[in-house]
Amino acid sequence: MNRPVRFPRPRFLGALVLSICTTPLFTAAQPGPLVSLFDGKTLAGWTVKGGTATYRVEENMIVGRTVEGSKNTFLSTTRDYADFEFECEVRCDVELNSGIQIRSHVYAKPTPQASDPKRIRETGEVYGYQCEIADGTKGVSGNFWDEGRRTKWHDDLTKRPGAATAFKNGEWNRYRIVAQGDRIRSWINGVPCADFRDALDATGFIGLQVHSIAKGKGPYEVRWKNLKIRELKAGEVVN
């Protein structure tokens, strides 16, 4: 009687099967690190737009100072950014209004303002999304103002618990901004603030504002430090 030939089972087969079953078919790409937008010593990579307020470097900080008679002034990146995650810390004199421009531009020629065509915006004036920095009692810090164009708020911070009171006067406040496609979000000190969609601007420069002041007021200052950015890939999930 012929018997079937039995071959010995490889000892490593069980381990091989286990390895295949427990090893993921692919590994999700890990997000890259945030990189510095400011070297802590110079204003390399930045340029002043709009007005004549001054900016200087002091103890690893960018310090903006008002100048009487100046228009709104912006220390702006020399290149544009589209989809990104941005972080910084800011401390602002309570009497001064400031902001962080994103996806912004300057008027190339005298242009009627979108919200009031009778007002002509001059060549070189800045327009775009501005994440507000203001007196914490006003409840608008972290919201986005449409600077120099539609002159309106893009969101209502009263819809989100704690958003209107997240900014603390006289302290360093940590800002985080995520711009991804037509969605733009902000956080102050870890508290979710604005979250809206608007498709008008997909890219533009980032700018640090020193607001104009009334005659006889000031000088006032606003300070920024730890400015970092990470550009986002298409479809990347950011919480």
PDB file of all heavy atoms in Angstrom, residues 167-184:
ATOM      1  N   PHE A 167      -8.291  85.249  25.444  1.00  0.00           N
ATOM      2  CA  PHE A 167      -7.149  86.173  25.431  1.00  0.00           C
ATOM      3  C   PHE A 167      -7.015  86.854  26.790  1.00  0.00           C
ATOM      4  O   PHE A 167      -7.986  87.392  27.326  1.00  0.00           O
ATOM      5  CB  PHE A 167      -7.332  87.224  24.341  1.00  0.00           C
ATOM      6  CG  PHE A 167      -6.150  88.118  24.130  1.00  0.00           C
ATOM      7  CD1 PHE A 167      -5.190  87.807  23.182  1.00  0.00           C
ATOM      8  CD2 PHE A 167      -5.989  89.277  24.876  1.00  0.00           C
ATOM      9  CE1 PHE A 167      -4.085  88.630  22.982  1.00  0.00           C
ATOM     10  CE2 PHE A 167      -4.895  90.102  24.686  1.00  0.00           C
ATOM     11  CZ  PHE A 167      -3.937  89.778  23.739  1.00  0.00           C
ATOM     12  N   LYS A 168      -5.790  86.854  27.333  1.00  0.00           N
ATOM     13  CA  LYS A 168      -5.537  87.426  28.653  1.00  0.00           C
ATOM     14  C   LYS A 168      -4.687  88.693  28.529  1.00  0.00           C
ATOM     15  O   LYS A 168      -3.554  88.653  28.029  1.00  0.00           O
ATOM     16  CB  LYS A 168      -4.812  86.406  29.541  1.00  0.00           C
ATOM     17  CG  LYS A 168      -5.521  85.054  29.629  1.00  0.00           C
ATOM     18  CD  LYS A 168      -6.941  85.174  30.155  1.00  0.00           C
ATOM     19  CE  LYS A 168      -7.619  83.807  30.254  1.00  0.00           C
ATOM     20  NZ  LYS A 168      -9.061  83.936  30.639  1.00  0.00           N
ATOM     21  N   ASN A 169      -5.220  89.815  28.981  1.00  0.00           N
ATOM     22  CA  ASN A 169      -4.493  91.077  28.940  1.00  0.00           C
ATOM     23  C   ASN A 169      -3.234  91.019  29.802  1.00  0.00           C
ATOM     24  O   ASN A 169      -3.233  90.434  30.888  1.00  0.00           O
ATOM     25  CB  ASN A 169      -5.379  92.231  29.425  1.00  0.00           C
ATOM     26  CG  ASN A 169      -6.442  92.605  28.420  1.00  0.00           C
ATOM     27  OD1 ASN A 169      -6.351  92.263  27.239  1.00  0.00           O
ATOM     28  ND2 ASN A 169      -7.461  93.305  28.877  1.00  0.00           N
ATOM     29  N   GLY A 170      -2.167  91.626  29.298  1.00  0.00           N
ATOM     30  CA  GLY A 170      -0.934  91.729  30.054  1.00  0.00           C
ATOM     31  C   GLY A 170      -0.124  90.454  30.140  1.00  0.00           C
ATOM     32  O   GLY A 170       0.875  90.402  30.863  1.00  0.00           O
ATOM     33  N   GLU A 171      -0.530  89.410  29.414  1.00  0.00           N
ATOM     34  CA  GLU A 171       0.172  88.127  29.446  1.00  0.00           C
ATOM     35  C   GLU A 171       0.583  87.719  28.037  1.00  0.00           C
ATOM     36  O   GLU A 171       0.096  88.250  27.041  1.00  0.00           O
ATOM     37  CB  GLU A 171      -0.730  87.042  30.045  1.00  0.00           C
ATOM     38  CG  GLU A 171      -1.205  87.314  31.462  1.00  0.00           C
ATOM     39  CD  GLU A 171      -2.098  86.219  31.993  1.00  0.00           C
ATOM     40  OE1 GLU A 171      -2.114  85.109  31.388  1.00  0.00           O
ATOM     41  OE2 GLU A 171      -2.787  86.451  32.999  1.00  0.00           O
ATOM     42  N   TRP A 172       1.486  86.738  27.976  1.00  0.00           N
ATOM     43  CA  TRP A 172       1.785  86.113  26.694  1.00  0.00           C
ATOM     44  C   TRP A 172       0.627  85.189  26.339  1.00  0.00           C
ATOM     45  O   TRP A 172       0.201  84.381  27.150  1.00  0.00           O
ATOM     46  CB  TRP A 172       3.079  85.307  26.772  1.00  0.00           C
ATOM     47  CG  TRP A 172       4.314  86.156  26.752  1.00  0.00           C
ATOM     48  CD1 TRP A 172       5.096  86.476  27.818  1.00  0.00           C
ATOM     49  CD2 TRP A 172       4.890  86.787  25.613  1.00  0.00           C
ATOM     50  NE1 TRP A 172       6.137  87.286  27.411  1.00  0.00           N
ATOM     51  CE2 TRP A 172       6.039  87.483  26.054  1.00  0.00           C
ATOM     52  CE3 TRP A 172       4.554  86.833  24.251  1.00  0.00           C
ATOM     53  CZ2 TRP A 172       6.844  88.216  25.191  1.00  0.00           C
ATOM     54  CZ3 TRP A 172       5.361  87.566  23.386  1.00  0.00           C
ATOM     55  CH2 TRP A 172       6.483  88.239  23.857  1.00  0.00           C
ATOM     56  N   ASN A 173       0.118  85.341  25.130  1.00  0.00           N
ATOM     57  CA  ASN A 173      -0.984  84.516  24.645  1.00  0.00           C
ATOM     58  C   ASN A 173      -0.503  83.680  23.465  1.00  0.00           C
ATOM     59  O   ASN A 173       0.128  84.198  22.537  1.00  0.00           O
ATOM     60  CB  ASN A 173      -2.165  85.392  24.213  1.00  0.00           C
ATOM     61  CG  ASN A 173      -2.853  86.044  25.397  1.00  0.00           C
ATOM     62  OD1 ASN A 173      -3.741  85.468  25.998  1.00  0.00           O
ATOM     63  ND2 ASN A 173      -2.426  87.260  25.744  1.00  0.00           N
ATOM     64  N   ARG A 174      -0.802  82.394  23.508  1.00  0.00           N
ATOM     65  CA  ARG A 174      -0.353  81.456  22.472  1.00  0.00           C
ATOM     66  C   ARG A 174      -1.424  81.339  21.385  1.00  0.00           C
ATOM     67  O   ARG A 174      -2.543  80.913  21.638  1.00  0.00           O
ATOM     68  CB  ARG A 174      -0.065  80.093  23.095  1.00  0.00           C
ATOM     69  CG  ARG A 174       0.586  79.108  22.125  1.00  0.00           C
ATOM     70  CD  ARG A 174       0.938  77.805  22.829  1.00  0.00           C
ATOM     71  NE  ARG A 174      -0.250  77.018  23.171  1.00  0.00           N
ATOM     72  CZ  ARG A 174      -0.789  76.942  24.370  1.00  0.00           C
ATOM     73  NH1 ARG A 174      -0.274  77.627  25.385  1.00  0.00           N
ATOM     74  NH2 ARG A 174      -1.860  76.197  24.584  1.00  0.00           N
ATOM     75  N   TYR A 175      -1.058  81.728  20.177  1.00  0.00           N
ATOM     76  CA  TYR A 175      -1.954  81.652  19.023  1.00  0.00           C
ATOM     77  C   TYR A 175      -1.591  80.441  18.160  1.00  0.00           C
ATOM     78  O   TYR A 175      -0.412  80.139  17.955  1.00  0.00           O
ATOM     79  CB  TYR A 175      -1.845  82.901  18.153  1.00  0.00           C
ATOM     80  CG  TYR A 175      -2.757  84.030  18.567  1.00  0.00           C
ATOM     81  CD1 TYR A 175      -2.568  84.695  19.776  1.00  0.00           C
ATOM     82  CD2 TYR A 175      -3.804  84.450  17.753  1.00  0.00           C
ATOM     83  CE1 TYR A 175      -3.397  85.740  20.161  1.00  0.00           C
ATOM     84  CE2 TYR A 175      -4.633  85.491  18.121  1.00  0.00           C
ATOM     85  CZ  TYR A 175      -4.432  86.130  19.326  1.00  0.00           C
ATOM     86  OH  TYR A 175      -5.265  87.162  19.700  1.00  0.00           O
ATOM     87  N   ARG A 176      -2.613  79.786  17.667  1.00  0.00           N
ATOM     88  CA  ARG A 176      -2.441  78.717  16.675  1.00  0.00           C
ATOM     89  C   ARG A 176      -3.460  78.953  15.571  1.00  0.00           C
ATOM     90  O   ARG A 176      -4.653  79.178  15.844  1.00  0.00           O
ATOM     91  CB  ARG A 176      -2.652  77.345  17.310  1.00  0.00           C
ATOM     92  CG  ARG A 176      -2.543  76.180  16.326  1.00  0.00           C
ATOM     93  CD  ARG A 176      -2.646  74.840  17.053  1.00  0.00           C
ATOM     94  NE  ARG A 176      -2.547  73.722  16.126  1.00  0.00           N
ATOM     95  CZ  ARG A 176      -3.530  72.827  15.915  1.00  0.00           C
ATOM     96  NH1 ARG A 176      -4.683  72.926  16.577  1.00  0.00           N
ATOM     97  NH2 ARG A 176      -3.361  71.846  15.050  1.00  0.00           N
ATOM     98  N   ILE A 177      -3.000  78.917  14.327  1.00  0.00           N
ATOM     99  CA  ILE A 177      -3.872  79.133  13.172  1.00  0.00           C
ATOM    100  C   ILE A 177      -3.648  78.000  12.187  1.00  0.00           C
ATOM    101  O   ILE A 177      -2.507  77.656  11.872  1.00  0.00           O
ATOM    102  CB  ILE A 177      -3.566  80.484  12.482  1.00  0.00           C
ATOM    103  CG1 ILE A 177      -3.824  81.654  13.445  1.00  0.00           C
ATOM    104  CG2 ILE A 177      -4.411  80.648  11.216  1.00  0.00           C
ATOM    105  CD1 ILE A 177      -3.321  82.988  12.926  1.00  0.00           C
ATOM    106  N   VAL A 178      -4.746  77.412  11.699  1.00  0.00           N
ATOM    107  CA  VAL A 178      -4.673  76.384  10.664  1.00  0.00           C
ATOM    108  C   VAL A 178      -5.499  76.842   9.476  1.00  0.00           C
ATOM    109  O   VAL A 178      -6.705  77.095   9.609  1.00  0.00           O
ATOM    110  CB  VAL A 178      -5.176  75.017  11.175  1.00  0.00           C
ATOM    111  CG1 VAL A 178      -5.225  74.003  10.025  1.00  0.00           C
ATOM    112  CG2 VAL A 178      -4.286  74.500  12.297  1.00  0.00           C
ATOM    113  N   ALA A 179      -4.854  76.969   8.327  1.00  0.00           N
ATOM    114  CA  ALA A 179      -5.539  77.309   7.075  1.00  0.00           C
ATOM    115  C   ALA A 179      -5.384  76.119   6.140  1.00  0.00           C
ATOM    116  O   ALA A 179      -4.257  75.700   5.831  1.00  0.00           O
ATOM    117  CB  ALA A 179      -4.925  78.559   6.453  1.00  0.00           C
ATOM    118  N   GLN A 180      -6.516  75.569   5.720  1.00  0.00           N
ATOM    119  CA  GLN A 180      -6.491  74.341   4.922  1.00  0.00           C
ATOM    120  C   GLN A 180      -7.653  74.369   3.948  1.00  0.00           C
ATOM    121  O   GLN A 180      -8.817  74.295   4.349  1.00  0.00           O
ATOM    122  CB  GLN A 180      -6.571  73.131   5.844  1.00  0.00           C
ATOM    123  CG  GLN A 180      -6.149  71.825   5.223  1.00  0.00           C
ATOM    124  CD  GLN A 180      -6.020  70.731   6.269  1.00  0.00           C
ATOM    125  OE1 GLN A 180      -6.675  70.768   7.318  1.00  0.00           O
ATOM    126  NE2 GLN A 180      -5.181  69.752   6.001  1.00  0.00           N
ATOM    127  N   GLY A 181      -7.355  74.506   2.666  1.00  0.00           N
ATOM    128  CA  GLY A 181      -8.418  74.656   1.687  1.00  0.00           C
ATOM    129  C   GLY A 181      -9.206  75.921   1.984  1.00  0.00           C
ATOM    130  O   GLY A 181      -8.637  76.975   2.233  1.00  0.00           O
ATOM    131  N   ASP A 182     -10.534  75.795   2.014  1.00  0.00           N
ATOM    132  CA  ASP A 182     -11.352  76.974   2.302  1.00  0.00           C
ATOM    133  C   ASP A 182     -11.695  77.095   3.795  1.00  0.00           C
ATOM    134  O   ASP A 182     -12.467  77.967   4.185  1.00  0.00           O
ATOM    135  CB  ASP A 182     -12.638  76.955   1.469  1.00  0.00           C
ATOM    136  CG  ASP A 182     -13.583  75.810   1.848  1.00  0.00           C
ATOM    137  OD1 ASP A 182     -13.183  74.941   2.664  1.00  0.00           O
ATOM    138  OD2 ASP A 182     -14.714  75.777   1.333  1.00  0.00           O
ATOM    139  N   ARG A 183     -11.109  76.209   4.613  1.00  0.00           N
ATOM    140  CA  ARG A 183     -11.401  76.251   6.051  1.00  0.00           C
ATOM    141  C   ARG A 183     -10.253  76.919   6.809  1.00  0.00           C
ATOM    142  O   ARG A 183      -9.089  76.571   6.621  1.00  0.00           O
ATOM    143  CB  ARG A 183     -11.608  74.839   6.585  1.00  0.00           C
ATOM    144  CG  ARG A 183     -12.084  74.806   8.040  1.00  0.00           C
ATOM    145  CD  ARG A 183     -12.206  73.377   8.549  1.00  0.00           C
ATOM    146  NE  ARG A 183     -12.743  73.338   9.903  1.00  0.00           N
ATOM    147  CZ  ARG A 183     -12.794  72.234  10.656  1.00  0.00           C
ATOM    148  NH1 ARG A 183     -12.340  71.078  10.182  1.00  0.00           N
ATOM    149  NH2 ARG A 183     -13.296  72.280  11.882  1.00  0.00           N
ATOM    150  N   ILE A 184     -10.608  77.847   7.702  1.00  0.00           N
ATOM    151  CA  ILE A 184      -9.624  78.565   8.506  1.00  0.00           C
ATOM    152  C   ILE A 184     -10.051  78.491   9.973  1.00  0.00           C
ATOM    153  O   ILE A 184     -11.210  78.753  10.307  1.00  0.00           O
ATOM    154  CB  ILE A 184      -9.501  80.030   8.063  1.00  0.00           C
ATOM    155  CG1 ILE A 184      -8.984  80.092   6.614  1.00  0.00           C
ATOM    156  CG2 ILE A 184      -8.574  80.812   8.987  1.00  0.00           C
ATOM    157  CD1 ILE A 184      -8.933  81.489   6.039  1.00  0.00           C
TER     158      ILE A 184
END
